[in-house]
Amino acid sequence: MKTTLIGALLASTIAAGAAYAQDKTDVTIVLSEELELIDPCMSSQSNIGRVLLGNISETLTVYEPATATLKPLLAESWEETQPGTWRFKLRQGVKFSDGTDFKAQDVIHSLERTISDKMTCEVGGKYFGGFKINATKVDDNTVDITTDPAQPILPLLMSSLTIVPEETPLEMVQQPIGTGPYAMTERNIGTNIVLTQRADYWGDKPKVTKATYVFRDDSAVRAAMVEVGEADIAPVISELDATNPDTDFSYPNSETTYLRVDHATAPLNDRRVREAMNLAIDRDAFIGTLVGKDSAKATAVVPPTTLGYNKDLTPYPFDLERAKALLAEAKADGVPVDQEILIVGRLGMFPNISEILEAMSQMLNDAGFNTKLEMKEVADYNTYYNRPFAEGRGPQLVAAQHDNAKGDPVFSMYFKYGTEGLQSGLVYPELDAKISKATEASGDDRAALWSDVMKDIHENIIGDVEMFHMVGFSRVNPRLDFTPTISTNSELRLSEIGFK
Amino acid sequence: MKKFIGKRAIASAISLVGLVILVFFLSRLTGDPTDLYLPIDATQEMRDKFRELHGLNDPLIVQFGRYVWDLLHFDFGESIRQARPAMDVVLEGFRWTLTLAVVTMTLVTVAAIVIGSLAAFKVGGVFDRITSFFSLIGASAPDFWIAIVGIVIFAVQLRWLPTSGTGTIWHWILPISVLFIRPFGLILQVVRGSMITALSSAYVKTAKAKGVPPRPIIFVHGLRNAMLPVITVIGDQAAGILNGAVVVETIFGFPGIGKLMIDAILQRDFAVILAAIMVSAVAIFIMNLLIDLAYAMLDPRIRY
């Protein structure tokens, strides 16, 4: 009996050891949540993107935020053959992980599938809504993609379209197939996902041979797993757990926070009131306390790496006296500045949101405003955030966080500031015209026009109460040669990981 | 006995039908899940498409009729979140929860009965005082705190155990220990109280007077009569774990039914909510039946 017991204990000890042991070129990545879906057309969701993008699934083009350049991937080149039509020359000799060849028909099917009304693909909803798009085959290695109205940034949009084989059904798949350097070799729902390097990958061989993804909700547990060597990368941990300067990184995560102002209601329809709000917020007081010390004060809703980001704009200073004076001036002109203003926040939208909004509400009240904060669950919050807004509503400030990692303001400006924009609180036909003009422009003109739009919103109209370009925190095992970047917010390419 | 089981099954089935109707309508009162699944920038067209695809545009009564029809064909619906049959999703989670519940409650029951009985034998003695002290702490300590402290001490500092996960037998030690503490404290107190009453009864005094040694007095004469209230509390605690040990599942990365249910409620994944409730209800029905049978075994006066 005793021998059996000792044997069992030994066996389980060896098993426990095996759980930690892995080849030098294997990595374990701990994500913050289980992947509910693993379809390539959902890869714009952060954790799905971290597993799929650049690992299993590839796109025609790839955007590099660090250099703000668009590079070829499955497309070797592209050109605009006529207004609204782009011709993509496809890379030859590429195979999917199921052994089939990559060809033009796969691109056409991937696009049709992504925008199909038979399924709800997030990539389709996020990047391919609001215009008509269709793809036609020129030959096996060439495809024409046409949009109406014309999309000058179509090659950039193609960096979001994950390519799947022509045979992929019009329903969410459980076994993603792609042209990337890895294939999914194991999926134990609730436990882990394993990617193994493909021998027949068309490109350079990455250093990581196998990646195991595990899922833990709790940030402290994710951080502990990297600390004890159970995991190599925790892409997202809370600032409170980022305590070890040797392993923890902060990185701009392409998210920008702001209070969306409802310009249609008094007193928020008065420019002086909006300026007073911006002057009443002591943004420096938040940095290093309630938001990460590497966060930056925002002057636009897009991160500084975005095309046309206006570097000449300066954040509003904290000037309580000027804010009070502006408010008094507006009051003297009959603006109802005493009216209660509702600040609406969404629970869990970003770290410390409740505390940040409570402090902002108090700062505004110190300047003479009468604000009240209400924190909402997602669905309730969306009724304030998205159009159509309630009739007869009072003045509202809606706390929001916006992610634009794609490098072009077009993914933000219309939605946030166009008169018909889904989340816009602004109604300015002149600004609409400027957004349209910038959307249709290309090259240097495009950058200059977006720059002008940002100046208009920040200085002339005073569109929002701008807050911060946020940062995220990661923990990385010292054995890896890997530094998180702005991309880590939405993808984690194993090919970028090396070993020391 | 068969008649009793049949009656209980019919009564439970009626309760289950009522529960399903209630949960179906109440969960839908919480609102439309469309905004939770689509990106914030999704167009109105996309939203309309999503509602149509998931039958959310139909009147509630039509949705209910369709659900009942599918249910009669053993189709429990599809998880919107996972795009898989809801019952598959739930049974995968339940497998983990059931294992966790069975192992934990077996250990708790054995430990609480043995220690509680011994403590009751000498009321006010050193052993009794020590066990009472620690069981009260155990019954009142918050799970999440014990879990995090357990990870910090045993995984991060001492490196004896893995932080979390499910790979080996070692992965189960911390979660089971955390789950063990509270029901152990509670059941131990009930065993002790019940045993004090049993051991002070006339038949035990008679046994002592006849020279029966302490061990048979405690575990044969006393325990059998003290077990009825203990079984009730064991059932109650086991039901709690069967419904999901949310904190433990969340912190230790156990893919059980508790976290699944909370996520499904937050995400309005209606089919999963209903499937999970049905599975939990059936499990609790079976457990209650077993408890009733245990009553009959322990007390010959109870006959069904």
Side-chain angles (χ1 to χ4, degrees), chain A residues 167-209:
Chain A
E167 298 75 21
T168 310
L170 288 180
E171 59 187 36
M172 293 292 168
V173 295
Q174 305 294 341
Q175 175 70 41
I177 304 292
T179 58
Y182 298 87
M184 189 174 84
T185 47
E186 214 176 310
R187 184 186 183 197
N188 302 302
I189 291 175
T191 307
N192 62 22
I193 288 173
V194 180
L195 307 193
T196 309
Q197 197 179 92
R198 288 174 55 195
D200 58 346
Y201 179 58
W202 61 270
D204 294 336
K205 214 174 188 179
K207 293 190 174 78
V208 173
T209 49

Side-chain angles (χ1 to χ4, degrees), chain A residues 312-384:
Chain A
D312 297 332
L313 302 178
T314 51
Y316 285 92
F318 174 50
D319 188 342
L320 195 57
E321 294 313 311
R322 173 85 183 127
K324 284 178 177 173
L326 280 168
L327 216 52
E329 195 183 305
K331 189 175 184 177
D333 288 346
V335 177
V337 295
D338 298 330
Q339 194 172 341
E340 185 179 85
I341 299 170
L342 180 66
I343 301 177
V344 180
R346 198 186 93 189
L347 289 163
M349 179 183 261
F350 50 82
N352 301 322
I353 181 170
S354 300
E355 292 81 357
I356 290 169
L357 293 182
E358 275 168 22
M360 288 181 80
S361 173
Q362 188 56 51
M363 286 173 182
L364 289 169
N365 291 350
D366 289 347
F369 287 100
N370 174 19
T371 66
K372 186 180 88 169
L373 173 64
E374 286 184 12
M375 297 302 294
K376 309 278 184 188
E377 293 288 348
V378 182
D380 199 9
Y381 167 86
N382 283 349
T383 63
Y384 291 88

Side-chain angles (χ1 to χ4, degrees), chain A residues 132-169:
Chain A
K132 288 180 185 161
I133 182 165
N134 79 300
T136 50
K137 177 180 163 180
V138 178
D139 59 48
D140 269 355
N141 302 306
T142 313
V143 63
D144 278 352
I145 300 180
T146 306
T147 56
D148 181 23
Q151 300 292 315
I153 56 153
L154 186 71
L156 179 63
L157 286 173
M158 286 299 120
S159 67
S160 307
L161 181 73
T162 42
I163 304 299
V164 293
E166 186 189 351
E167 298 75 21
T168 310

